[in-house]
Amino acid sequence: MNFDLSEEQQLLKNSVERLLADSYGFEKRRTYQTDAKGYSDAMWARYAEIGLLALPFSDHHGGFDGGAVETMIAMEAFGKSLILEPYLATVVLAGGLLRLGGSEAQKADLIPGIAEGRLKLAFAYAEPQSRYDLFDVETQAKKDGGEWILNGTKCLVLHGDTADKIVVSARNSGDTRERNGIGLFIVDADAPGLSRRGYPTQDGLRAAEIILENVRIKNVDVIGDPEGAFPIITRVADEAVAALCAEAVGCFETMQQITLDYLKAREQFGKKIGSFQVLQHRAVDMFVELEQSRSMAMYAAMMAGEDDAIERERAISAAKVQIGRSAKAIGHESVQLHGGIGMTMEYSIGHYFKHVTMLDMLFGDADHHLKRLAGLGGLSNGQVN
């Protein structure tokens, strides 16, 4: 198979990596983090300028018709620099729901604002009892004439505290854990009855708890079938996992490079510690984990657009299992090889370890996806490594 990037994809890779190399060093990231929003509005505008926010959308709505490979390129670069901005929340998650399930009117109304950097969105799907099950929805949506009334609580809404609009999954029929009866509803962040409490996550990003109390929305703000949104939710979640795998690979690559540089510079007993064979072996183990993860992230990107849900879910879960295992292996090695300095807030390696730990947890950790993969019959050849 040919995994070489096209000329346009290589230009995208070069432009985003150059932007982040110039504007997103570790110390600048720490500065951006002190903003009330937890990220840089100036960098968000720069992403819009070079077309990153328009990447996956149709050119009919101001986008560039990019696919999962283009998203992979951007997310890997973001992982290398540990960006703080709400790209996953706005473009991949909520933007993906609009792209796959929205009406033409909704797309025409909202996607240009996303592409131009004027509109930030979030996807409120998780609930206190749901853990990793996207279909475990207690939030209620009741029809009231030409409107819907939403009641419920959503937790861990990525960048939900700064979003302009929030896409909420809510149930209007069926039991709590049924896959049918779930709809998607676009809610203004300042809608009467909606309250949100923002907080930092352990890796320095932002999330929110959102409470909906008799929040009214109009019919035009329902995405697709109000009782049949679950297939769209699962497809967007699979696309998000593919994007997270690419982001993790970017983190792993930087973690390995930082650790190698440290081994070459740090002296002990009058020698560079990189000359010790046992540490060389551990560095090689990190490289093997990185390359295995890179291969599986590519596989996930290639399969993210697969219409056969079973084949897509197999590929996505297999990739997430590998990413979760590598996050622990590379994270442990990188921190341990740095010694005490690896645990400090002033040094970057610990921040990368925290972020890849969070990436493992989002949309299901390695154990969850191994169980899902087993339930789907494993990979196409019947084997799971």
Side-chain angles (χ1 to χ4, degrees), residues 8-24 42-56 62-65 70 73-75 77-78 83 85 87 91 114-117:
E8 292 79 9
Q9 290 168 342
Q10 189 62 53
L11 287 172
L12 169 65
K13 178 180 173 66
N14 294 342
S15 63
V16 64
E17 288 183 347
R18 184 165 55 248
L19 169 63
L20 295 176
D22 293 341
S23 307
Y24 229 100
M43 288 304 301
W44 189 251
R46 296 289 299 279
Y47 301 155
E49 286 176 9
I50 66 172
L52 292 179
L53 305 186
L55 202 56
F64 289 103
D65 283 319
E70 285 75 19
I73 292 169
M75 292 297 291
F78 292 157
I83 75 155
E85 288 71 36
Y87 190 88
V91 178
I114 297 173
E116 295 166 11

Side-chain angles (χ1 to χ4, degrees), residues 113-344:
I114 297 173
E116 295 166 11
R118 296 183 285 103
L119 184 66
K120 300 183 184 73
L121 281 74
F123 179 28
Y125 62 91
E127 298 186 3
Q129 82 292 339
S130 63
R131 192 154 172 79
Y132 299 136
D133 294 329
L134 298 172
F135 53 81
D136 191 334
V137 177
E138 290 185 351
T139 299
Q140 295 292 312
K142 299 294 185 183
K143 193 76 160 49
D144 184 30
E147 295 182 326
W148 292 83
I149 302 175
L150 305 182
N151 284 281
T153 299
K154 295 291 184 177
C155 62
L156 198 64
V157 182
L158 295 177
H159 293 287
D161 55 341
T162 56
D164 301 303
K165 292 180 182 290
I166 300 164
V167 181
V168 177
S169 64
R171 181 177 297 282
N172 63 81
S173 68
D175 294 331
T176 298
R177 291 178 60 82
E178 284 188 24
R179 285 166 168 76
N180 296 323
I182 300 172
L184 291 168
F185 304 86
I186 304 171
V187 184
D188 287 336
D190 58 357
L194 185 149
S195 60
R196 49 185 177 172
R197 178 183 64 86
Y199 55 86
T201 56
Q202 74 162 9
D203 57 346
L205 273 66
R206 300 284 302 179
E209 178 185 77
I210 294 177
I211 298 175
L212 304 146
E213 295 180 321
N214 296 320
V215 175
R216 288 183 171 270
I217 68 162
K218 298 178 180 179
N219 271 329
V220 294
D221 292 322
V222 179
I223 297 178
D225 182 354
E227 293 190 10
F230 189 66
I232 297 172
I233 293 172
T234 56
R235 179 154 189 163
V236 170
D238 286 341
E239 291 184 356
V241 170
L244 292 173
C245 289
E247 184 178 4
V249 168
C251 292
F252 296 161
E253 185 173 334
T254 302
M255 293 167 79
Q256 190 220 19
Q257 188 59 57
I258 291 172
T259 304
L260 286 179
D261 291 344
Y262 183 79
L263 294 179
K264 293 175 182 178
R266 179 77 166 91
E267 290 190 6
Q268 189 70 33
F269 309 115
K271 294 182 178 181
K272 305 291 186 184
I273 62 175
S275 65
F276 301 147
Q277 190 176 52
V278 65
L279 300 189
Q280 292 174 1
H281 289 171
R282 293 174 70 174
V284 169
D285 289 341
M286 290 178 66
F287 178 75
V288 171
E289 292 287 348
L290 167 62
E291 291 306 308
Q292 288 178 328
S293 294
R294 191 190 307 279
S295 296
M296 291 304 291
M298 289 180 179
Y299 179 45
M302 298 299 291
M303 294 295 289
E306 172 61 48
D307 291 328
D308 186 325
I310 299 299
E311 291 300 316
R312 183 183 71 245
E313 290 172 9
R314 282 174 175 164
I316 295 299
S317 285
K320 197 64 157 60
V321 169
Q322 180 63 57
I323 291 298
R325 290 173 173 174
S326 294
K328 292 180 181 178
I330 294 175
H332 290 168
E333 291 289 8
S334 60
V335 170
Q336 290 170 12
L337 290 174
H338 275 85
I341 193 174
M343 300 295 293
T344 64

